Amino acid sequence: MLQLELLPQWEFFLYLVLSFSFHFYSFYEVFLVSREYEDELDQAFDLEADTMFWGFKKDPMDFEWTFWMEWGRGYILWLLFCHLIVSQISSLYMKKYKPWVLMAYGMAACWFLLGTNGLIMILLHTSVSYFMAQFKNPVLTWMSSLLLLLTLRIPALEVIKRGWYASENEYYLLIFTLTVRCLYYTSFSLEYCWAKEKMHHSFLWMLLYVFYYPVLHNGPIITFDDFHKQMISQQSGGLKSNLGIFIWGTVRILFWWWLAELMIHLMYMHAIYSTPSYLEAVSYWTLGGLALAQVLFFYVKYLVLFGVPALFIRMDGLKPPALPRCVSTMYGFSGMWRSFDVGLHNFLIRYIYIPMGGSRCSMFKMLFSTAVTFAFVSYWHGSHSYLWSWAVLNWLGITAENGVKRLVSLPVVHEFISQVLSARTRQRLHAALASVSTTLLIFSNLIFLGGNEVGRIYWNRIFWKGWPWATLSVFGFLYCYAHVGIKWQKIFSRD
């Protein structure tokens, strides 16, 4: 591995100041455009009026945020607090039976929110997966999981499930829960197939794992291997330390929630993304600001959506997956996958990427295992056309980054670069290459968040009509971001 050297302080400080300046100025442009189009967007999307942020209206067009905030305020937060009370009481008075108490609570909470039909559906999917695991064949386990996912998209079955509930939100809660539960029962069943001893792979353990309430509806993902190890050796702190953890965690979550709400009150990026004509008309600064606002809101949103269950997991004496790393400090596809949804990354690596060959086999097997991994992610998220576009771009990005790493690791190339370039020059070259990778990473994420039409508009305006100045300007901005990300990685690396 080539050794990089920290840049002179003045140079890094310059990149840092420019990075923050680019963020804030582009956000200011988005703010101005949001005010300019506010009346039209209000008529089209019914912006929500409130007095929380100086009377600015709220952009309600991020379905995921609106959906989970409504459910959080309605029932889920209260059920999580009840889980915490049950967990703490069982730790004090019936520690030996705590896992089964939590299992019973999770099933009861699931029945309360999703009804008898919803609970039966989750039990049915879990039972089918457990039955297929008895054959101890991972291929059969995967086939059953993929078919169970497919049943969520069959129109005739969708009509039946919708008939169980009085509102669309209740139906979607069932679908989201079943989609996330798919990863959980798949993890258990694959571990069952691989296990030599079945002692801790009973159906009761599967129910405990599948119905563990803090992660029931939206994750984050914890593999059964990690869950089981932690559950049998959980170590709860004292009352004082637990109270400190809970208060500090709550303060952090409230700050992230406030920041997310501030963003969608000041910048109507989701509503503008839903109106292609506005995207075609806005300035390049606004276009860039909208892209940054989209991906940063996605990051802050998941700090909240994963941060809440992570807090309750920690109060149970378990260790949740790390929360997402700030996307403004990421400078490549590999880092994004490792550091954003850590739980999903661990699942994909353990159950798909490594079994299919991984990076320690031939180049062909590595390409194939990476393609299968991204294909599954697209299928799991819904298999829409824009998801396949996103998957292909991510596969190409990961492949290119791994190809460059393999090339640089060759002794001849490594020695040549070491002799020709100084350590600081190598870091500048690294940042320059990373700026290209980050550009494509952001472009792929915009497709994931906004769809193919948004991707088409950005491609035409930045890379086609905007060549060379708009394109090179984007590379230049992201070159500064890359230096900040490289420094961040060196200081805060989790390795």
Side-chain angles (χ1 to χ4, degrees):
M1 190 75 179
L2 288 171
Q3 294 299 313
L4 302 179
E5 185 176 319
L6 291 179
L7 298 173
Q9 282 193 340
W10 69 265
E11 186 176 349
F12 173 75
F13 183 73
L14 175 63
Y15 295 139
L16 186 65
V17 170
L18 288 174
S19 296
F20 275 104
S21 300
F22 298 150
H23 275 79
F24 288 122
Y25 183 73
S26 62
F27 287 167
Y28 175 68
E29 289 286 328
V30 176
F31 171 79
L32 293 179
V33 167
S34 299
R35 305 285 74 76
E36 180 182 349
Y37 294 133
E38 183 171 356
D39 291 339
E40 293 90 337
L41 294 173
D42 191 16
Q43 290 178 2
F45 303 110
D46 194 20
L47 302 179
E48 296 179 6
D50 60 38
T51 58
M52 186 174 175
F53 294 98
W54 311 288
F56 289 116
K57 293 182 179 180
K58 175 181 172 180
D59 181 352
M61 293 304 293
D62 186 274
F63 170 78
E64 196 173 28
W65 179 255
T66 303
F67 178 85
W68 289 116
M69 289 306 103
E70 288 180 5
W71 275 108
R73 288 191 297 267
Y75 291 106
I76 290 178
L77 273 180
W78 296 109
L79 289 172
L80 284 171
F81 279 115
C82 290
H83 168 93
L84 177 61
I85 293 169
V86 169
S87 176
Q88 296 302 308
I89 292 175
S90 59
S91 292
L92 290 173
Y93 298 109
M94 51 184 85
K95 192 167 185 179
K96 182 178 178 181
Y97 301 103
K98 178 180 175 180
W100 317 118
V101 172
L102 295 182
M103 178 193 76
Y105 177 82
M107 295 179 76
C110 179
W111 169 81
F112 176 78
L113 276 188
L114 298 175
T116 302
N117 290 328
L119 177 61
I120 291 173
M121 281 298 300
I122 297 175
L123 284 171
L124 177 62
H125 282 220
T126 303
S127 301
V128 169
S129 183
Y130 186 76
F131 172 75
M132 297 304 295
Q134 305 308 303
F135 295 98
K136 295 184 66 64
N137 187 328
V139 175
L140 287 178
T141 291
W142 270 115
M143 287 178 63
S144 68
S145 294
L146 294 175
L147 287 173
L148 288 170
L149 264 183
L150 183 63
T151 63
L152 303 182
R153 299 156 196 167
I154 297 175
L157 295 179
E158 287 181 352
V159 171
I160 294 173
K161 291 170 195 165
R162 277 189 164 93
W164 296 343
Y165 300 107
S167 69
E168 282 286 287
N169 269 8
E170 292 174 290
Y171 165 72
Y172 281 121
L173 183 64
L174 172 66
I175 297 302
F176 290 154
T177 303
L178 284 169
T179 302
V180 175
R181 290 309 89 202
C182 177
L183 299 189
Y184 275 76
Y185 58 67
T186 301
S187 173
F188 178 93
S189 296
L190 289 173
E191 296 291 347
Y192 185 97
C193 292
W194 297 339
K196 294 180 181 178
E197 299 180 5
K198 299 296 180 294
M199 185 173 170
H200 298 301
H201 291 79
S202 66
F203 188 62
L204 272 179
W205 266 101
M206 189 178 198
L207 291 179
L208 165 62
Y209 177 57
V210 170
F211 285 98
Y212 180 61
Y213 191 70
V215 298
L216 181 68
H217 302 297
N218 194 43
I221 310 303
I222 305 174
T223 63
F224 178 73
D225 181 54
D226 285 341
F227 179 82
H228 172 257
K229 288 176 184 175
Q230 293 185 52
M231 187 59 75
I232 62 176
S233 62
Q234 56 183 296
Q235 298 179 352
S236 298
L239 179 62
K240 187 176 180 181
S241 63
N242 279 346
L243 186 60
I245 291 171
F246 186 78
I247 292 174
W248 173 237
T250 302
V251 170
R252 291 172 64 192
I253 291 166
L254 287 174
F255 172 73
W256 297 329
W257 170 83
W258 176 85
L259 185 58
E261 287 287 327
L262 177 67
M263 291 181 72
I264 55 178
H265 277 80
L266 299 184
M267 299 182 290
Y268 302 151
M269 56 272 193
H270 302 107
I272 293 174
Y273 265 51
S274 301
T275 314
S277 60
Y278 293 163
L279 274 183
E280 296 275 15
V282 297
S283 68
Y284 283 110
W285 270 109
T286 306
L287 198 65
L290 286 167
L292 284 175
Q294 271 278 30
V295 295
L296 282 170
F297 178 81
F298 188 68
Y299 159 67
V300 176
K301 174 173 68 176
Y302 269 91
L303 285 179
V304 176
L305 297 185
F306 283 170
V308 171
L311 176 59
F312 289 91
I313 293 169
R314 195 171 285 110
M315 295 299 292
D316 283 338
L318 309 180
K319 183 181 179 182
L323 293 178
R325 173 180 155 187
C326 179
V327 292
S328 290
T329 65
M330 294 182 188
Y331 51 92
F333 288 88
S334 302
M336 181 71 177
W337 275 98
R338 280 196 303 267
S339 305
F340 192 83
D341 191 340
V342 176
L344 179 59
H345 175 262
N346 292 340
F347 177 94
L348 297 172
I349 292 296
R350 182 171 179 82
Y351 301 120
I352 302 179
Y353 185 69
I354 291 177
M356 295 301 296
S359 59
R360 296 189 177 183
C361 297
S362 65
M363 178 65 75
F364 174 78
K365 278 193 173 182
M366 185 191 74
L367 294 175
F368 180 71
S369 58
T370 306
V372 172
T373 301
F374 284 120
F376 171 75
V377 175
S378 296
Y379 179 77
W380 181 68
H381 275 95
S383 200
H384 304 291
S385 61
Y386 72 89
L387 291 171
W388 293 107
S389 303
W390 167 83
V392 169
L393 286 171
N394 274 265
W395 179 75
L396 291 172
I398 290 283
T399 300
E401 288 180 2
N402 286 334
V404 171
K405 288 176 184 176
R406 288 198 174 201
L407 178 64
V408 171
S409 66
L410 294 174
V412 176
V413 178
H414 185 282
E415 185 178 352
F416 174 78
I417 294 176
S418 299
Q419 289 179 353
V420 172
L421 303 176
S422 67
R424 287 179 176 176
T425 304
R426 290 198 296 269
Q427 177 158 328
R428 295 182 184 108
L429 177 61
H430 182 199
L433 293 174
S435 70
V436 179
S437 182
T438 308
T439 301
L440 296 178
L441 172 65
I442 293 175
F443 176 65
S444 72
N445 286 335
L446 292 178
I447 292 175
F448 180 82
L449 298 172
N452 284 327
E453 179 64 14
V454 169
R456 182 193 65 78
I457 292 171
Y458 270 87
W459 180 265
N460 284 340
R461 294 204 59 192
I462 300 296
F463 300 104
W464 185 250
K465 297 178 182 177
W467 176 263
W469 301 116
T471 311
L472 295 179
S473 296
V474 169
F475 289 155
F477 300 154
L478 295 179
Y479 173 79
C480 298
Y481 297 168
H483 278 293
V484 175
I486 292 169
K487 180 69 174 285
W488 179 285
Q489 183 75 17
K490 287 180 178 180
I491 296 175
F492 298 103
S493 176
R494 296 190 180 107
D495 297 333

